[in-house]
Amino acid sequence: MSFSCDCDDREDEDSLPEYETAPDLALAALLTLMTSYPDHPTPAIARAIIAHLQVVSRDERHDKELSRSAAQLVSKWEALEVLCAKEAGVHPVLPVRH
């Protein structure tokens, strides 16, 4: 099972974080992003949060409640991304549903 992060446009799989071998790294990155968002509310950070929420929600090694909570937060962060983009005058990237 692969847990890639689409936080940016890099195509090289080797440049992605090692979430497959260290699932807690995705959770730590998510917490860091979420706590930095109030100081720097940008669409890019919101997109990174969404990507990390998706990684955490899909990783079966995490507790089911944690995965469920992460999945439920995705739509709220998608809405925050849109609001943030509107305030910044930036056209938000529409989420891709898999």
Side-chain angles (χ1 to χ4, degrees):
M1 183 177 278
S2 178
F3 304 102
S4 65
C5 168
D6 60 347
C7 303
D8 58 27
D9 296 331
R10 294 179 294 191
E11 295 290 329
D12 183 9
E13 287 288 331
D14 294 332
S15 64
L16 295 174
E18 294 295 322
Y19 295 154
E20 190 168 318
T21 58
D24 290 343
L25 184 60
L27 185 56
L30 173 61
L31 292 172
T32 300
L33 288 163
M34 292 176 95
T35 57
S36 69
Y37 184 82
D39 293 329
H40 307 285
T42 66
I45 293 177
R47 271 192 305 279
I49 291 169
I50 293 163
H52 283 78
L53 284 168
Q54 291 169 336
V55 168
V56 170
S57 71
R58 293 178 186 146
D59 192 330
E60 296 170 354
R61 296 170 291 182
H62 289 296
D63 179 78
K64 289 180 182 172
E65 284 301 316
L66 174 63
S67 295
R68 187 176 303 131
S69 295
Q72 290 173 346
L73 287 171
V74 169
S75 62
K76 293 180 185 206
W77 279 97
E78 287 172 343
L80 280 172
E81 178 191 2
V82 171
L83 288 173
C84 183
K86 284 181 181 178
E87 288 179 9
V90 176
H91 182 32
V93 176
L94 296 176
V96 176
R97 299 285 180 193
H98 298 282

